[in-house]
Amino acid sequence: MEDHTLPLYTAEPQLPSYAMATSPTLSYTPSLTISDGTSIESNNYVFSSKSAVLDLGPRIWGTASPAYGYRGLIEGTLDVKKLETVHKITCKLVGKVTTILNRQGLPVAPQVASVLDRSMEIYRHSAELTGLSTTR
């Protein structure tokens, strides 16, 4: 005669215990160095040259390049040190999406797609604005 005894089950099974592993924490504090050599901390996307400083707003995700996400608002300030030496200022907005597939933990087949490429002139030096006269 066959034994039809069912295995014993408990209502609350014993789960293995796991210890939360601690990993080193890395932090990055961007800074802006001003022409006189002083340095200030910045949590914004700040790019500077000898003639201008461009601030594109806060670093939300801490990426090295500006990232705003879907329907994110892109706004910032441009501080030009000597506007009288500038002929024109053009603002160019380029949007790219990069996808990278992983195979066995290694990145393979990166693809970049341009989704936006627009330019707009935001300033043009004018003799009328500076009070200079032009001769014909």
Side-chain angles (χ1 to χ4, degrees):
M1 185 162 174
E2 291 183 38
D3 184 17
H4 293 289
T5 307
L6 296 175
L8 297 176
Y9 293 99
T10 59
E12 295 180 23
Q14 291 282 331
L15 297 176
S17 62
Y18 293 99
M20 182 178 247
T22 58
S23 60
T25 303
L26 301 176
S27 65
Y28 170 70
T29 305
S31 65
L32 169 66
T33 302
I34 302 178
S35 59
D36 66 1
T38 59
S39 179
I40 60 173
E41 288 186 6
S42 173
N43 289 322
N44 288 4
Y45 294 111
V46 177
F47 305 92
S48 62
S49 70
K50 292 186 298 185
S51 57
V53 176
L54 176 64
D55 184 341
L56 292 175
R59 292 178 188 264
I60 298 170
W61 296 290
T63 58
S65 297
Y68 299 96
Y70 179 66
R71 293 189 184 259
L73 177 64
I74 301 169
E75 63 181 353
T77 58
L78 175 64
D79 180 20
V80 179
K81 297 189 169 93
K82 291 186 178 182
L83 193 58
E84 57 273 1
T85 62
V86 176
H87 174 67
K88 74 176 180 177
I89 299 173
T90 302
C91 178
K92 183 173 185 176
L93 178 62
V94 177
K96 294 182 179 181
V97 175
T98 303
T99 57
I100 300 173
L101 299 175
N102 284 316
R103 172 172 257 165
Q104 297 176 344
L106 298 173
V108 295
Q111 294 182 352
V112 178
S114 268
V115 293
L116 179 69
D117 190 347
R118 299 256 171 102
S119 293
M120 183 171 117
E121 187 175 292
I122 58 174
Y123 172 81
R124 180 177 289 272
H125 178 78
S126 171
E128 297 167 3
L129 294 175
T130 59
L132 301 174
S133 62
T134 56
T135 57
R136 296 180 192 241

